[in-house]
Amino acid sequence: MASEHDRAVLQAIFNPTTPFGDIPGLNQEEELIDYDSGFNTELLKQVKELEMRGVSAAEAGDLQTALQLFSQAIQILPQRASAYNNRAQALRLKGNTAGALEDLNQAISLSGSTGRAACQALVQRGLLCRLAGQDDEARADFEKAAALGSEFARQQAVLLNPYAALCNKMLSKVINKLRNPEVSDMQ
């Protein structure tokens, strides 16, 4: 059986764009969940139904209806992060980046930076920061989301880390030389 270090070395060889020692899924033993047990079950059921209808409306292109449904869900359970995440996505699609960021910040705060809602909000906020050219803020959000288990966020964090990119490029060259010694001697 391979040790954790052995798996890290193999990960670096076969996936040189990930940071050394970063083994996707290694520390994630259970699926991210949101802690909804503290909410009234009838209200929670009502809110989840509103959110599902809102997602369907957004997917159908009816962003105004989606926003109304997500806002209704927030009015019913204002301490639940999920509807803020969904409304942020609809706001972003409508071009309201400031409103989307407000909702994402609220979702992160309400979630205590744990669970699926926090992970999704951090990824969304990271993307908005990246689009705005705020790479340091984007990288910080992606790193937090990666720590919560988001493989997409992990990849984005690596792409935004200039040191990791340089190390990975050098490691790729070494690995290519090891794989094809006769080709690398000619270059």
Side-chain angles (χ1 to χ4, degrees), residues 120-154:
Q120 291 172 343
L122 287 163
V123 168
Q124 285 188 71
R125 191 171 73 179
L127 289 170
L128 289 176
C129 288
R130 189 152 190 215
L131 288 172
Q134 301 167 335
D135 288 349
D136 290 339
E137 292 86 348
R139 183 174 49 250
D141 280 346
F142 289 138
E143 287 172 354
K144 289 175 190 171
L148 291 173
S150 170
E151 185 60 34
F152 174 78
R154 186 183 326 277

Coordinates of all heavy atoms in Angstrom, one line a residue, residues 120-154:
Q120 N -19.7 27.1 -2.7 CA -20.2 27.7 -3.9 C -20.0 29.2 -3.9 O -19.7 29.8 -5.0 CB -21.7 27.3 -4.1 CG -21.9 25.8 -4.4 CD -23.4 25.4 -4.3 OE1 -24.2 26.1 -3.8 NE2 -23.6 24.3 -4.9
A121 N -20.3 29.8 -2.8 CA -20.2 31.3 -2.8 C -18.8 31.7 -2.9 O -18.5 32.7 -3.6 CB -20.8 31.8 -1.4
L122 N -17.8 31.0 -2.3 CA -16.4 31.4 -2.5 C -15.9 31.2 -3.9 O -15.2 32.1 -4.5 CB -15.5 30.5 -1.6 CG -15.6 30.8 -0.1 CD1 -15.1 29.7 0.8 CD2 -14.9 32.1 0.2
V123 N -16.4 30.2 -4.6 CA -16.0 30.0 -6.0 C -16.6 31.1 -6.9 O -15.9 31.7 -7.7 CB -16.5 28.6 -6.5 CG1 -16.4 28.5 -8.1 CG2 -15.7 27.5 -5.9
Q124 N -17.9 31.4 -6.6 CA -18.6 32.5 -7.4 C -17.9 33.8 -7.2 O -17.6 34.6 -8.1 CB -20.0 32.6 -7.0 CG -20.9 31.5 -7.6 CD -22.4 31.8 -7.3 OE1 -22.9 32.7 -7.9 NE2 -23.0 31.1 -6.4
R125 N -17.6 34.1 -5.9 CA -16.9 35.4 -5.6 C -15.5 35.4 -6.2 O -15.1 36.4 -6.7 CB -16.9 35.6 -4.1 CG -16.4 37.0 -3.7 CD -16.6 37.3 -2.2 NE -15.6 36.6 -1.4 CZ -15.5 36.6 -0.1 NH1 -16.3 37.3 0.6 NH2 -14.6 36.0 0.5
G126 N -14.8 34.3 -6.1 CA -13.5 34.2 -6.7 C -13.5 34.5 -8.2 O -12.7 35.2 -8.8
L127 N -14.5 34.0 -8.9 CA -14.7 34.2 -10.3 C -15.0 35.7 -10.6 O -14.4 36.3 -11.6 CB -15.8 33.3 -10.9 CG -15.5 31.9 -11.0 CD1 -16.7 31.1 -11.4 CD2 -14.4 31.6 -12.1
L128 N -15.8 36.3 -9.8 CA -16.1 37.7 -10.0 C -14.9 38.6 -9.7 O -14.6 39.5 -10.5 CB -17.3 38.2 -9.1 CG -18.6 37.6 -9.4 CD1 -19.7 38.1 -8.4 CD2 -19.1 38.1 -10.8
C129 N -14.1 38.2 -8.7 CA -12.9 38.9 -8.4 C -11.9 38.8 -9.6 O -11.2 39.7 -10.0 CB -12.2 38.4 -7.1 SG -13.1 39.0 -5.6
R130 N -11.8 37.6 -10.1 CA -10.9 37.3 -11.2 C -11.3 38.1 -12.5 O -10.4 38.7 -13.1 CB -10.9 35.8 -11.6 CG -9.8 35.5 -12.6 CD -9.3 34.1 -12.4 NE -8.1 34.0 -13.3 CZ -7.8 32.9 -13.9 NH1 -8.6 31.8 -13.8 NH2 -6.7 32.8 -14.6
L131 N -12.6 38.2 -12.7 CA -13.1 39.0 -13.9 C -12.8 40.5 -13.7 O -12.5 41.2 -14.6 CB -14.6 38.8 -14.1 CG -15.0 37.5 -14.6 CD1 -16.5 37.4 -14.6 CD2 -14.5 37.3 -16.1
A132 N -12.7 40.9 -12.4 CA -12.4 42.3 -12.1 C -10.9 42.6 -12.0 O -10.5 43.7 -11.7 CB -13.1 42.7 -10.8
G133 N -10.1 41.6 -12.3 CA -8.7 41.7 -12.2 C -8.1 41.7 -10.8 O -7.0 42.1 -10.6
Q134 N -8.9 41.3 -9.8 CA -8.4 41.2 -8.4 C -7.9 39.8 -8.1 O -8.5 39.1 -7.4 CB -9.6 41.6 -7.5 CG -10.1 43.0 -7.8 CD -11.5 43.2 -7.1 OE1 -12.2 42.3 -6.8 NE2 -11.8 44.5 -6.8
D135 N -6.8 39.5 -8.7 CA -6.3 38.2 -8.7 C -5.9 37.7 -7.2 O -6.1 36.5 -6.9 CB -5.0 38.0 -9.6 CG -5.4 38.0 -11.1 OD1 -6.6 37.9 -11.4 OD2 -4.5 38.1 -11.9
D136 N -5.4 38.6 -6.4 CA -5.1 38.2 -5.0 C -6.3 37.8 -4.3 O -6.3 36.7 -3.6 CB -4.3 39.3 -4.3 CG -2.9 39.5 -4.8 OD1 -2.4 38.6 -5.5 OD2 -2.4 40.6 -4.6
E137 N -7.4 38.6 -4.4 CA -8.6 38.2 -3.7 C -9.2 37.0 -4.3 O -9.8 36.1 -3.6 CB -9.6 39.4 -3.9 CG -9.3 40.6 -3.1 CD -8.3 41.6 -3.9 OE1 -7.8 41.2 -4.9 OE2 -8.1 42.7 -3.4
A138 N -9.2 36.8 -5.6 CA -9.7 35.6 -6.3 C -8.9 34.4 -5.8 O -9.6 33.4 -5.4 CB -9.6 35.7 -7.8
R139 N -7.6 34.5 -5.7 CA -6.8 33.3 -5.3 C -7.2 32.9 -3.9 O -7.3 31.8 -3.5 CB -5.3 33.6 -5.4 CG -4.4 32.4 -5.0 CD -2.9 32.6 -5.3 NE -2.4 33.9 -4.8 CZ -2.0 34.9 -5.5 NH1 -2.1 34.8 -6.8 NH2 -1.5 36.0 -5.0
A140 N -7.4 33.9 -3.0 CA -7.7 33.7 -1.6 C -9.1 32.9 -1.5 O -9.2 31.9 -0.8 CB -7.8 35.0 -0.8
D141 N -10.0 33.4 -2.3 CA -11.3 32.7 -2.3 C -11.2 31.3 -2.9 O -11.8 30.3 -2.3 CB -12.4 33.5 -3.1 CG -12.9 34.6 -2.3 OD1 -12.8 34.7 -1.1 OD2 -13.6 35.5 -2.9
F142 N -10.5 31.1 -3.9 CA -10.3 29.8 -4.5 C -9.6 28.8 -3.6 O -9.9 27.7 -3.5 CB -9.6 29.9 -5.9 CG -10.3 30.5 -7.0 CD1 -9.8 31.4 -7.9 CD2 -11.7 30.2 -7.2 CE1 -10.5 31.9 -8.9 CE2 -12.4 30.7 -8.2 CZ -11.8 31.6 -9.1
E143 N -8.6 29.3 -2.9 CA -7.9 28.5 -1.9 C -8.8 28.0 -0.8 O -8.8 26.9 -0.4 CB -6.7 29.2 -1.3 CG -5.5 29.3 -2.4 CD -4.4 30.2 -1.9 OE1 -4.5 30.9 -0.8 OE2 -3.4 30.3 -2.6
K144 N -9.7 28.9 -0.3 CA -10.6 28.6 0.7 C -11.6 27.5 0.2 O -11.9 26.6 0.9 CB -11.4 29.8 1.2 CG -10.5 30.7 2.1 CD -11.3 32.0 2.4 CE -10.4 33.0 3.0 NZ -11.1 34.3 3.2
A145 N -12.1 27.7 -1.0 CA -13.1 26.8 -1.6 C -12.4 25.4 -1.9 O -13.0 24.4 -1.7 CB -13.7 27.4 -2.9
A146 N -11.1 25.5 -2.3 CA -10.4 24.2 -2.5 C -10.2 23.5 -1.2 O -10.4 22.2 -1.2 CB -9.0 24.5 -3.1
A147 N -10.0 24.2 -0.1 CA -9.9 23.5 1.2 C -11.2 22.9 1.6 O -11.2 21.9 2.3 CB -9.5 24.5 2.3
L148 N -12.3 23.4 1.1 CA -13.6 22.8 1.3 C -13.9 21.7 0.4 O -14.9 21.0 0.5 CB -14.7 23.9 1.2 CG -14.7 24.9 2.3 CD1 -15.7 26.0 2.0 CD2 -15.0 24.3 3.7
G149 N -13.1 21.5 -0.6 CA -13.2 20.3 -1.5 C -13.5 20.6 -2.9 O -13.7 19.7 -3.7
S150 N -13.5 21.8 -3.4 CA -13.8 22.1 -4.8 C -12.6 21.9 -5.7 O -11.6 22.6 -5.5 CB -14.3 23.6 -4.9 OG -14.4 24.0 -6.3
E151 N -12.7 21.0 -6.5 CA -11.6 20.7 -7.5 C -11.4 21.8 -8.5 O -10.3 22.2 -8.8 CB -11.8 19.4 -8.2 CG -10.7 18.9 -9.1 CD -9.4 18.7 -8.4 OE1 -9.4 18.2 -7.2 OE2 -8.3 19.0 -9.0
F152 N -12.5 22.4 -8.9 CA -12.4 23.6 -9.8 C -11.7 24.7 -9.1 O -10.8 25.3 -9.7 CB -13.8 24.1 -10.2 CG -13.8 25.3 -11.0 CD1 -13.5 25.3 -12.4 CD2 -14.1 26.5 -10.4 CE1 -13.5 26.5 -13.1 CE2 -14.1 27.7 -11.1 CZ -13.8 27.7 -12.5
A153 N -12.0 25.0 -7.9 CA -11.3 26.1 -7.1 C -9.8 25.8 -7.0 O -9.0 26.7 -7.1 CB -12.0 26.3 -5.8
R154 N -9.5 24.5 -6.7 CA -8.1 24.1 -6.6 C -7.3 24.4 -7.9 O -6.2 24.9 -7.9 CB -8.0 22.6 -6.3 CG -6.7 22.0 -6.0 CD -6.7 20.5 -5.8 NE -7.8 20.0 -5.1 CZ -8.0 20.0 -3.8 NH1 -7.2 20.5 -3.0 NH2 -9.1 19.4 -3.3

